[in-house]
Amino acid sequence: MLKETKYLIVFYLLFISSAFSQSDFKYFGAIKLNDSSLITYKIVLKEHDGKVAGYSITDLGGEHETRSNIFGEYNHDTKTLSFRETDIVYTKSEVTTYDFCFVNTTIENFKFGKTKKITAPFLGLFSDNTECISGELLLTEEEKVKKRIEKVAKIIQKSNKVPDSIKEKVNPVKMMEKRSGNVLRTGQTLNVFSTSKAITLVLYDSDTVDNDRISLQVNSKTILDDFVGTKEQKEITIPLETLVTSIEIKALNVGRIGDNTIKLFIKDKNNRTIGVMTSLKTNEIATVQIHRKYN
């Protein structure tokens, strides 16, 4: 059992980056803070006429996973990329203030589509431009990470020392699909920030349909008493009438296969979509809090 756990942990750490696309430039790795501690970090960038936009995810797959918007500039003559995080899209950290520490960096000798590794210092700034935590970005092109993952998967499949039970679980395609969105576990709260007056909540079972059932409450009012997840998507419009709207998901069972895994999409007026998947056991509860931001 210990060996199985060891193999799964190693593969998961290599695989934690997911969802590959040729239209975006994606890098995965870590932030190295000045005290030498490491935090997983991913950036997804697009560039057009020197303007750069995208997002970052800090502590990917962790208890404090946070997604931030990115804006920046690219100088084609000097091959210099500069970008900064601007605002929070969502975070699993406790929200005690709306002022977060944002990454600001300039990367020299950078070429979109050609640079495979990024090593660059960054400066952490609050929204009022006062300094916070700084350190270094250590990133690798995500496609290169993907190839490394596939190589490790092949080695595991060929190894006589790895149990068949582990080989069955090490499927890069299936694991990529499961890691494509946030995983919300018991006791966790996903804090989402929106300027919309209402959001649309989409629910369905994205995994194997196995009779996963949940109840759903919005600000302590029951909206769904016994929802059974199927491939058919159910949409619910939720008005954001208070500063914080709390959506509570409770697992009523675990279905026939594994944990209760209902997929949720949160959509707002800006056509922004945030995906999250539950991973709950019977009677366990996870929460999504929508924080209304006024322009």
Side-chain angles (χ1 to χ4, degrees):
M1 186 66 180
L2 288 176
K3 286 185 177 180
E4 291 190 5
T5 302
K6 176 182 177 182
Y7 284 119
L8 283 177
I9 290 175
V10 170
F11 192 80
Y12 171 72
L13 289 174
L14 286 170
F15 198 83
I16 196 169
S17 174
S18 65
F20 304 91
S21 169
Q22 293 181 349
S23 61
D24 297 324
F25 298 96
K26 302 184 179 184
Y27 290 85
F28 172 74
I31 286 177
K32 183 180 180 182
L33 303 181
N34 288 335
D35 63 0
S36 296
S37 59
L38 296 173
I39 301 173
T40 54
Y41 193 67
K42 173 181 175 177
I43 58 173
V44 179
L45 304 175
K46 289 184 178 181
E47 185 269 336
H48 180 69
D49 290 339
K51 301 296 183 182
V52 176
Y55 64 87
S56 65
I57 301 180
T58 307
D59 193 26
L60 185 62
E63 294 183 0
H64 300 283
E65 180 174 322
T66 300
R67 174 169 167 170
S68 305
N69 287 325
I70 281 179
F71 291 98
E73 301 79 30
Y74 180 67
N75 189 312
H76 287 265
D77 294 328
T78 62
K79 304 296 184 294
T80 302
L81 169 66
S82 298
F83 72 79
R84 56 203 171 277
E85 296 174 339
T86 56
D87 62 310
I88 303 296
V89 178
Y90 70 74
T91 182
K92 289 182 181 176
S93 292
E94 182 179 356
V95 177
T96 56
T97 175
Y98 289 158
D99 208 1
F100 291 83
C101 187
F102 295 112
V103 168
N104 294 254
T105 188
T106 297
I107 303 166
E108 307 289 347
N109 300 316
F110 180 88
K111 295 182 181 181
F112 280 101
K114 293 185 178 181
T115 298
K116 304 299 181 183
K117 291 187 177 182
I118 295 174
T119 301
F122 75 87
L123 176 66
L125 296 174
F126 288 119
S127 58
D128 63 358
N129 287 326
T130 57
E131 291 190 23
C132 42
I133 300 172
S134 298
E136 187 177 27
L137 298 182
L138 305 171
L139 303 173
T140 301
E141 186 182 42
E142 195 174 63
E143 187 63 28
K144 189 173 182 179
V145 177
K146 178 185 176 182
K147 291 179 181 178
R148 190 181 305 166
I149 290 167
E150 292 173 342
K151 183 177 180 180
V152 172
K154 289 180 181 179
I155 293 173
I156 291 176
Q157 295 296 338
K158 293 179 180 179
S159 176
N160 294 324
K161 298 180 180 181
V162 180
D164 290 338
S165 59
I166 295 301
K167 291 181 179 180
E168 292 175 1
K169 296 177 182 179
V170 178
N171 184 318
V173 175
K174 288 185 178 180
M175 293 186 74
M176 183 184 301
E177 291 175 349
K178 287 189 176 184
R179 300 301 171 189
S180 61
N182 301 317
V183 177
L184 199 56
R185 297 181 172 84
T186 180
Q188 289 187 332
T189 297
L190 181 68
N191 295 286
V192 177
F193 300 87
S194 178
T195 57
S196 297
K197 294 181 179 180
I199 57 102
T200 299
L201 191 65
V202 181
L203 304 94
Y204 67 102
D205 195 339
S206 64
D207 211 339
T208 303
V209 176
D210 61 344
N211 196 42
D212 284 333
R213 296 184 296 111
I214 64 166
S215 66
L216 187 77
Q217 288 191 337
V218 177
N219 289 340
S220 300
K221 180 182 178 180
T222 300
I223 302 300
L224 296 175
D225 185 41
D226 189 359
F227 172 77
V228 181
T230 66
K231 292 300 181 184
E232 183 178 354
Q233 297 185 358
K234 182 176 181 62
E235 292 192 3
I236 302 171
T237 299
I238 300 175
L240 305 182
E241 299 173 332
T242 56
L243 189 61
V244 179
T245 299
S246 180
I247 303 170
E248 188 177 272
I249 306 108
K250 180 178 181 180
L252 302 180
N253 70 342
V254 291
R256 295 185 299 273
I257 305 172
D259 291 345
N260 186 301
T261 53
I262 297 294
K263 185 77 175 184
L264 298 91
F265 282 110
I266 302 161
K267 300 181 180 180
D268 65 12
K269 68 175 183 180
N270 298 316
N271 293 320
R272 185 179 61 177
T273 300
I274 298 170
V276 58
M277 184 174 68
T278 63
S279 181
L280 303 170
K281 299 188 183 303
T282 303
N283 293 324
E284 289 185 341
I285 296 172
T287 304
V288 176
Q289 289 190 337
I290 312 296
H291 298 257
R292 177 91 183 271
K293 295 171 65 178
Y294 294 88
N295 291 330

